[in-house]
Amino acid sequence: MTSTVQVAGSNLTLAYVVLAIAIAALAVAFGLRARVLAASEGTAKMKEIAAAVQEGAAAYLARQFRTLSIFVAIVFFVLLALPGDGDVRIGRSIFFLVGAAFSAFVGYQGMWLAVRANVRVAEAARDGSAERSVQIAFRTGGVVGMLTVGLGLAGAALVVVLYKADAPAVLEGFGFGAAMLAMFMRVGGGIFTKAADVGADLVGKVEQGIPEDDPRNAATIADNVGDNVGDCAGMAADLFESYAVTLVAALILGRAGFGDSGLIFPLIVPAIGVLTAVLGIFLTRLRPSDKNAMNAINRSFFMSAIVSAILVAFATFIYLPSSYSQFANVSQEIAGAAGSPRTLALGAVLIGIVLAAAIQVLTGFFTEVGRRPVNDVAASSQTGPATVILAGISVGFESAVYSALLIAAGVFGAYLLGGGIVVLSLLAVALAGCGLLTTVGVIVAMDTFGPISDNAQGIAEMSGDVHGEGAKILTSLDAVGNTTKAITKGIAIATAVLAATALFGSFTDAIKHAVEESGKAAANLAVEFSGILNVADPRNLVGLIIGAAVVFLFSGLAVNAVSRAAGAVVMEVRNQFKLHPGIMNGSEKPEYGRVVDICTRDSLRELATPGLLAVLAPISVGFGLGVGALGAYLAGAIGTGTLMAVFLANSGGAWDNAKKMVEDGVYGGKGSQAHAATVIGDTVGDPFKDTAGPAINPLIKVMNLVGLLVTPAIVSMTLGGNDGARVGVSLAALAIIIFSLVRSRRKATALA
C-alpha cells in the first residue's frame, strides 16, 4: 500500500539540515581523534605492550568481519526475496548492508582509537595528572560517541531524503543490519574478553598468587585485547544499533501518527542530541573538589541532559502544530484527537531523558564502590566464595526488579500521553526512546572510558614504569570505569526495551497492511484476526513461553561458550608455567600469542549458534503458529530479556567492584582469603556482565525486526491457504536451530 505522506518543501529542507548536522558530528569526531593522538605515548616498554594489544585487537576484528560477511551476504539475498514493492525491497536490502557496514565501522574505530588511547592515559597518570588522564579517556569515548550519533543520524536522514514516504520500510533494513552485526560483535567480543579475563584471574591471581596484569601471566595481553574488542567495539556497535533501531521505530510510527511531520520530527530530536553531546564531552573536566572521575562524568551527563530537554522544548513548539487537526495526511481518528501533539512529543522526550538519568542513578547505587550493595558483597568475602556469589546474585535479582519497574513506568507514562489512541501512544514510546538517545554521545563516551582506564592500568602494571601517585590515579579510574560500564549497560537495556516496544507496535500495524495488500477488505480484518494477540489462545501462550525461553537459552549459550573458552585458556597458561619455570623469575617470556589465538578461535567458532537462534526462532514460531503467536513470542522476549539483562549486568558489576574494594585493602587486601573469594565472584560475573547480559540488548531488537520483516509473508501464506509451505518454512528453521544446538553441545566438554 502506497502512503500519501509527503516529504517536500520545508520538511525536505529540514531533512537536509539534519544530514548536515550528522556530517558535522563526524567532523567533530575526527577533530577529537587528532587531539587524543597528539598526547604522549609514554616509555618504550609501555609502547611495546600497547603495540601487542593493538596487533591482537586488529587481527581479531579482521577475522571476525570475514566470518560475519557470510551471514551478511545470505541475509541480503533473503531480504530481496521478501514481499514488497521493487524499489523498497532493493532499498531495504542495500541499506541493510549500509547499516551493517556502519555498525562495523563504529565498532572498529572504537577499538582502533581505544588501543592507542590507553597508553596515553597511562602516560598522563605517570606524570601525575589525573585531569589529563580523565580528559584523554573521555574524549576518546567522545570520538566513538560522535561517530555513533553522526553515522546513525546520517543513515536515517539519507533514507528520508532518498525514499521520502517509503523511508520507514527501507529503514527496517538499515536497523536490521546494524542490530545483527552488533549482536554478533557483542557475542564474539564478549566471549573473547571474558575467556581471557577468567583464565588470567584463575591461574594468575588464585593459583600463582601474582597480581592482575602481571607480565608473567600469558593471558594478560589477550585480556587487554578482549577489553577492546568486547567493551569498546562491541558496545559501540550495540549503542549504534540502538540509535538506528529507535529511529526506525520512531519514523514508522511517526508517519502514522504525525503524517508529514512524523518523518521529520524524530530526526530533529537526535540532531539536538548531537549538539548536546559535543557540549557534554567538552565539559567533562576533573575539578580539585571532585572525589573521583565519576563526579566529573555525572556532572557533564546531567548538564547535557538538561540542555537537551530545553532545546527539544524549543524545537517542539516551533515545529509541531498546536492541534492534531493541523497535521497533513493523518487518519480521521488522529485528526479528531483531543490534546496537543506538542504536549505528547515534549512529554515523551522528557520521559526518555529522565529515564536515562534515573537509570544512571539506580545502576550507580547497586554497582558503585562505597555504596551499600557493593559493600555487602565485599563483606561477604570473609566467609568464602560461596557467600560472595550468593550476595552478588541477590544484588542482581533485586536491582533487576527496580530497573524493570522504572523502564515499565517510562513505557506506560509515554503510552498514557496518547490519550487512548494506540498509534499515538506507541509513537510516544518511540519518542521517549529518541529522548533517551539525545544523551547517547555522552553515554558512549562513558562506556568507552571503562575499558580504556582498565587497559591503562594493565599497561602500567605490565611495564613497571608507573608508580606512586600515577598508580593511585589509574586504580581510581579503573574503579570508576567499572561503574560507567554498568551504567551504560543499564541505559542500553532501556533503549532496547523502548525500541522493541515501539517495534512491537509497528508489528501490529504491519499485520493490518499485510491483510490489505493480500486483497482482503479492511472490514474483514476483525473477522480474520480477531483477538490475534490474546494470550488465552493456546498458540499465543506457547509463543509467549518460547519467547521467554529463548532469552534463557541465548544467555546459557553465551555463558557456556565463555566457560569452554576460559577452560582452554586456563590449561594453556598452566602448561606455560609448568613447562617454562623461568617465567616466574623473569628469565623466560610467556607466549602471549598462543592465548590470543585460543580466544580468537573459540569466540569465532561460537558465533553461529546464538546468531541462528536469534534470526530463525521468530521465523519458526511465526510461520508455524501464526502472527498471533509471533507477537506473543516477541512480548515474552522483551519482558524476560529486560529482567535477565539487568540481573546479569548488575550482578557482574557488583562482584567486580567488591573485588576492587578488597584489593584496595579492606578485609585483608590482596593475597588474603577474602581476596581469593572476590576473585572467584568476579570470574563468575565476567560472562554475566560482559557477554550474556549486553548481548540480550541487540538480541531482542534483532528478533523484533525479523518479526516485522517476515509478517507480510506469514499473513500472505495464511490468507492464501498455503499452510503446507508455511509449516515447511517453520520446520526448516527449527531443524537448523536443533542441528546448531546439538553441534554446540558436542563441543561442551572440549578444553582445547
Side-chain angles (χ1 to χ4, degrees):
M1 184 180 74
T2 304
S3 174
T4 58
V5 173
Q6 302 293 317
V7 180
S10 61
N11 281 340
L12 187 59
T13 302
L14 282 171
Y16 278 113
V17 170
V18 170
L19 185 58
I21 290 173
I23 294 170
L26 299 178
V28 172
F30 283 98
L32 284 171
R33 181 177 179 269
R35 288 195 179 191
V36 170
L37 294 176
S40 173
E41 296 180 71
T43 65
K45 184 66 175 176
M46 291 163 67
K47 291 178 184 177
E48 181 188 342
I49 297 166
V53 176
Q54 292 164 21
E55 183 182 352
Y60 169 76
L61 284 184
R63 287 177 63 177
Q64 185 183 56
F65 290 150
R66 285 198 297 271
T67 303
L68 295 182
S69 63
I70 300 169
F71 285 91
V72 171
I74 293 170
V75 174
F76 172 80
F77 289 107
V78 170
L79 288 175
L80 280 175
L82 290 176
D85 296 336
D87 289 345
V88 172
R89 210 167 58 243
I90 293 169
R92 185 173 59 196
S93 299
I94 291 172
F95 273 91
F96 164 79
L97 297 179
V98 173
F102 279 7
S103 191
F105 181 78
V106 169
Y108 186 86
Q109 287 298 313
M111 176 282 301
W112 190 93
L113 190 59
V115 295
R116 286 157 178 81
N118 50 22
V119 69
R120 290 167 167 83
V121 171
E123 171 61 11
R126 192 172 75 91
D127 286 345
S129 178
E131 182 181 351
R132 276 201 300 119
S133 298
V134 171
Q135 192 176 77
I136 293 169
F138 202 81
R139 287 188 175 181
T140 302
V143 173
V144 188
M146 298 311 296
L147 286 176
T148 299
V149 298
L151 289 175
L153 196 57
L158 186 62
V159 172
V160 170
V161 167
L162 293 176
Y163 289 90
K164 299 180 173 64
D166 291 324
V170 174
L171 276 169
E172 289 173 12
F174 180 70
F176 185 41
M180 193 182 81
L181 210 79
M183 183 185 67
F184 279 123
M185 291 180 71
R186 260 308 195 186
V187 173
I191 294 168
F192 187 112
T193 182
K194 294 304 110 180
D197 196 358
V198 170
D201 283 354
L202 288 179
V203 182
K205 288 184 178 180
V206 178
E207 294 183 7
Q208 298 295 330
I210 58 179
E212 187 172 4
D213 296 312
D214 191 297
R216 293 171 292 180
N217 192 327
T220 51
I221 293 293
D223 186 11
N224 286 318
V225 169
D227 288 337
N228 294 285
V229 299
D231 288 334
C232 286
M235 187 62 166
D238 185 4
L239 286 170
F240 172 78
E241 65 84 14
S242 291
Y243 198 82
V245 172
T246 301
L247 284 176
V248 170
L251 288 166
I252 291 173
L253 294 163
R255 180 178 64 178
F258 285 180
D260 295 0
S261 301
L263 288 176
I264 302 300
F265 185 74
L267 297 178
I268 294 174
V269 175
I272 289 170
V274 171
L275 304 177
T276 55
V278 175
L279 180 68
I281 291 163
F282 281 99
L283 282 178
T284 305
R285 294 181 180 274
L286 195 63
R287 298 176 181 174
S289 58
D290 289 334
K291 182 181 176 182
N292 53 41
M294 199 70 231
N295 295 114
I297 293 169
N298 280 335
R299 185 167 54 246
S300 64
F301 175 86
F302 288 113
M303 288 180 67
S304 63
I306 292 168
V307 173
S308 289
I310 295 169
L311 292 179
V312 168
F314 277 114
T316 301
F317 279 85
I318 291 171
Y319 179 73
L320 292 178
S322 58
S323 68
Y324 291 100
S325 60
Q326 295 174 265
F327 282 130
N329 298 315
V330 294
S331 68
Q332 290 184 350
E333 181 186 26
I334 292 173
S340 169
R342 293 172 176 172
T343 304
L344 181 146
L346 181 58
V349 171
L350 289 177
I351 285 173
I353 293 173
V354 171
L355 183 59
I359 288 174
Q360 175 157 348
V361 173
L362 182 64
T363 307
F365 173 76
F366 281 103
T367 59
E368 277 185 32
V369 171
R371 300 294 187 99
R372 182 165 180 176
V374 173
N375 290 348
D376 288 347
V377 176
S380 69
S381 65
Q382 299 173 90
T383 50
T387 49
V388 169
I389 292 171
L390 291 172
I393 287 174
S394 71
V395 167
F397 279 141
E398 185 180 357
S399 64
V401 173
Y402 301 138
S403 295
L405 290 175
L406 190 61
I407 295 169
V411 170
F412 192 66
Y415 186 84
L416 291 175
L417 292 171
I421 299 175
V422 175
V423 171
L424 292 178
S425 295
L426 290 170
L427 173 57
V429 174
L431 290 176
C434 290
L436 192 152
L437 289 175
T438 58
T439 60
V440 79
V442 179
I443 291 167
V444 175
M446 287 170 61
D447 184 77
T448 308
F449 181 92
I452 290 173
S453 55
D454 189 357
N455 267 206
Q457 187 180 35
I459 290 171
E461 289 195 16
M462 290 181 71
S463 68
D465 293 338
V466 183
H467 309 281
E469 183 62 25
K472 289 180 182 178
I473 291 171
L474 292 175
T475 298
S476 174
L477 292 187
D478 190 22
V480 170
N482 285 334
T483 301
T484 62
K485 287 191 291 184
I487 288 169
T488 53
K489 288 183 178 73
I491 293 174
I493 293 162
T495 65
V497 175
L498 291 174
T501 304
L503 285 171
F504 185 69
S506 305
F507 166 79
T508 57
D509 190 56
I511 295 172
K512 179 181 176 181
H513 289 169
V515 171
E516 293 173 345
E517 291 177 356
S518 297
K520 298 285 183 177
N524 291 336
L525 180 65
V527 178
E528 297 281 356
F529 289 94
S530 178
I532 195 164
L533 296 179
N534 185 357
V535 291
D537 185 330
R539 289 181 302 176
N540 295 354
L541 184 59
V542 168
L544 182 76
I545 294 170
I546 294 173
V550 164
V551 173
F552 274 79
L553 181 56
F554 184 88
S555 302
L557 288 170
V559 172
N560 196 32
V562 173
S563 177
R564 293 201 297 270
V569 171
V570 167
M571 298 299 290
E572 173 62 30
V573 177
R574 280 176 179 170
N575 284 337
Q576 289 198 27
F577 277 121
K578 182 179 178 181
L579 299 175
H580 304 281
I583 290 175
M584 287 300 289
N585 61 27
S587 61
E588 291 184 87
K589 191 175 180 181
E591 296 181 63
Y592 301 115
R594 288 181 61 86
V595 181
V596 173
D597 287 342
I598 289 171
C599 293
T600 301
R601 178 198 68 199
D602 286 9
S603 60
L604 294 179
R605 186 180 63 190
E606 302 289 349
L607 282 178
T609 302
L612 289 171
L613 180 67
V615 174
L616 295 179
I619 292 175
S620 182
V621 171
F623 280 91
L625 300 176
V627 286
L630 176 57
Y633 169 95
L634 297 174
I638 293 170
T640 308
T642 304
L643 289 163
M644 181 68 82
V646 177
F647 160 68
L648 293 171
N650 288 354
S651 286
W655 278 318
D656 200 347
N657 273 340
K659 181 195 68 176
K660 293 289 182 189
M661 284 185 64
V662 176
E663 288 180 343
D664 287 342
V666 301
Y667 307 120
K670 292 182 179 180
S672 65
Q673 290 297 316
H675 182 225
T678 56
V679 170
I680 298 296
D682 185 38
T683 58
V684 174
D686 278 337
F688 277 32
K689 67 180 174 67
D690 291 324
T691 307
I696 291 172
N697 308 330
L699 169 72
I700 61 176
K701 283 172 285 189
V702 165
M703 293 195 298
N704 271 270
L705 283 164
V706 169
L708 195 61
L709 289 164
V710 301
T711 290
I714 297 170
V715 172
S716 177
M717 286 186 176
T718 302
L719 298 180
N722 298 322
D723 290 341
R726 181 171 57 79
V727 173
V729 171
S730 174
L731 292 176
L734 181 61
I736 296 171
I737 293 171
I738 292 172
F739 173 79
S740 184
L741 287 171
V742 170
R743 182 173 171 272
S744 177
R745 180 53 55 188
R746 285 178 176 173
K747 299 180 296 187
T749 57
L751 291 179

